[in-house]
Amino acid sequence: MNATDVLRHHNIKKTAGRIAIIKALQDKCCPLSENEIKELMLESYDRITFYRNIHTLSAAGIIHKIVVDNTLIRYGLNCCESAHDHNVHKNNHAHFYCEKCQSVVCLQEIKIPDFCLPEGFVSADSDIIIKGKCEKCNH
Amino acid sequence: MNATDVLRHHNIKKTAGRIAIIKALQDKCCPLSENEIKELMLESYDRITFYRNIHTLSAAGIIHKIVVDNTLIRYGLNCCESAHDHNVHKNNHAHFYCEKCQSVVCLQEIKIPDFCLPEGFVSADSDIIIKGKCEKCNH
DNA sequence: TTACCTTTGCAACATTGTTTCATTTGAATA
DNA sequence: TATTCAAATGAAACAATGTTGCAAAGGTAA
């Protein structure tokens, strides 16, 4: 599904900034940082608009934010299947952060287990970040 | 173990700022934000020194940083048993964030499972954040 | 094409975090 | 206890990150 269709399917206005963010993530096939997206967006990048579009796309379930550390954030495209379910990404999979090359990989196959929370606690969402070395950096 | 002893056991100089941070965390018995610690530190708080001491205490394994979101960070005291093992906190337990009262709880009883990573990937550390409602807020 | 509502981009501001450097302080030693 | 020196502090300045208000521009439906 191309960027225009993604937006149409979510009933979100098609604008240059949003198209550029989605295309950047589709091109690279892996979660990217703001700066990485910025470089792919070229002249269509505006910092304020970027933040607002990230919120919009994230709220719509088109992308998800991966917080590896407070100064280390990536944005990943959700899978196509999630096009009509805004919350499908939640509780879905783990993320791997390579401490050497700083890349982030979505580990679709690692599902987040059901944790046994203390009495009275209710879980709505959870995130797992696994840090280490990816296959390229691990020699 | 009081704050002075904690520092001595880790061979870290005893200074007003460090003592104040440890005491604040010991008093409250749960992870705190910078602002919460700041209020407990009163006049001994200095922003730059605070960041440096957080790094020092964290590197020594006395405290750990919990990144719920990039703008939502907590610092938690490690258990006493870890006094002599700087890495004991790693891979140790999950954290719960209450979306209503914004408190963070260390879930010592929830250990992080062994994930089956893709071929070539090696894990060094991992974090689990479970978000939802705590027992006080869940009625 | 018009009209309306959303989005954009700018300015200004707030928060968070780091670096440099002179000064102060902790603690080991004499 | 006084001396000494490396480590820690605190100030200034800077950099990065994130938000808000508002006028102008743009998307989409009629």
Side-chain angles (χ1 to χ4, degrees):
Chain A
M1 191 151 54
N2 65 37
T4 302
D5 289 337
V6 170
L7 290 174
R8 190 165 30 231
H9 277 85
H10 283 86
N11 263 309
I12 292 175
K13 279 195 183 172
K14 184 187 86 173
T15 66
R18 292 169 186 172
I19 298 279
I21 291 173
I22 295 174
K23 279 196 172 150
L25 293 175
Q26 285 178 333
D27 277 3
K28 292 296 173 185
C29 291
C30 69
L32 300 177
S33 67
E34 175 177 349
N35 283 331
E36 287 166 331
I37 296 172
K38 171 183 175 178
E39 280 168 24
L40 294 167
M41 286 177 73
L42 304 175
E43 75 293 332
S44 71
Y45 171 84
D46 170 80
R47 210 165 58 85
I48 293 104
T49 302
F50 176 85
Y51 285 122
R52 283 192 283 223
N53 282 334
I54 286 293
H55 288 151
T56 304
L57 297 175
S58 188
I62 296 170
I63 63 170
H64 60 283
K65 177 170 149 188
I66 303 152
V67 182
V68 178
D69 193 5
N70 52 316
T71 57
L72 215 161
I73 294 155
R74 296 293 147 91
Y75 303 98
L77 207 56
N78 292 350
C79 355
C80 311
E81 308 94 81
S82 64
H84 292 285
D85 182 350
H86 297 181
N87 288 322
V88 83
H89 187 79
K90 287 189 178 181
N91 284 305
N92 208 22
H93 63 266
H95 294 107
F96 185 89
Y97 170 69
C98 177
E99 290 172 333
K100 193 167 176 199
C101 70
Q102 309 209 320
S103 66
V104 169
V105 181
C106 288
L107 299 173
Q108 304 287 349
E109 65 276 18
I110 299 188
K111 304 299 179 187
I112 296 173
D114 275 338
F115 295 110
C116 181
L117 292 172
E119 184 70 23
F121 284 70
V122 173
S123 161
D125 189 13
S126 49
D127 289 309
I128 299 187
I129 301 272
I130 304 171
K131 297 171 190 170
K133 278 192 189 169
C134 73
E135 23 102 42
K136 284 177 196 157
C137 295
N138 181 40
H139 290 308
Chain B
M1 191 151 53
N2 67 36
T4 302
D5 289 338
V6 171
L7 291 175
R8 187 163 35 228
H9 276 86
H10 283 86
N11 263 311
I12 291 176
K13 277 195 186 174
K14 183 187 87 172
T15 67
R18 292 169 185 173
I19 298 279
I21 291 173
I22 295 173
K23 279 195 172 151
L25 293 176
Q26 286 179 333
D27 277 2
K28 292 295 172 184
C29 290
C30 68
L32 301 177
S33 67
E34 175 178 348
N35 282 332
E36 288 166 331
I37 296 172
K38 172 184 175 177
E39 280 168 25
L40 294 167
M41 287 177 74
L42 304 175
E43 76 292 332
S44 71
Y45 171 84
D46 171 80
R47 211 165 58 86
I48 295 105
T49 301
F50 177 85
Y51 285 121
R52 282 192 283 225
N53 281 334
I54 286 293
H55 288 150
T56 303
L57 296 175
S58 188
I62 296 171
I63 63 171
H64 60 285
K65 178 171 149 188
I66 303 152
V67 181
V68 178
D69 193 5
N70 52 317
T71 57
L72 216 161
I73 295 155
R74 295 293 146 92
Y75 303 99
L77 207 55
N78 291 351
C79 356
C80 312
E81 308 94 80
S82 65
H84 291 286
D85 182 350
H86 296 183
N87 289 322
V88 83
H89 186 78
K90 286 190 178 180
N91 284 305
N92 207 22
H93 64 265
H95 293 107
F96 184 90
Y97 169 68
C98 177
E99 290 171 333
K100 192 166 176 201
C101 71
Q102 310 208 318
S103 65
V104 169
V105 180
C106 288
L107 298 173
Q108 303 289 348
E109 65 275 16
I110 300 188
K111 304 298 179 188
I112 296 173
D114 275 338
F115 297 110
C116 181
L117 293 172
E119 185 71 23
F121 284 70
V122 173
S123 160
D125 190 12
S126 49
D127 288 309
I128 298 187
I129 301 272
I130 303 171
K131 297 172 190 171
K133 278 192 189 169
C134 73
E135 23 103 42
K136 284 177 197 160
C137 295
N138 181 40
H139 290 309

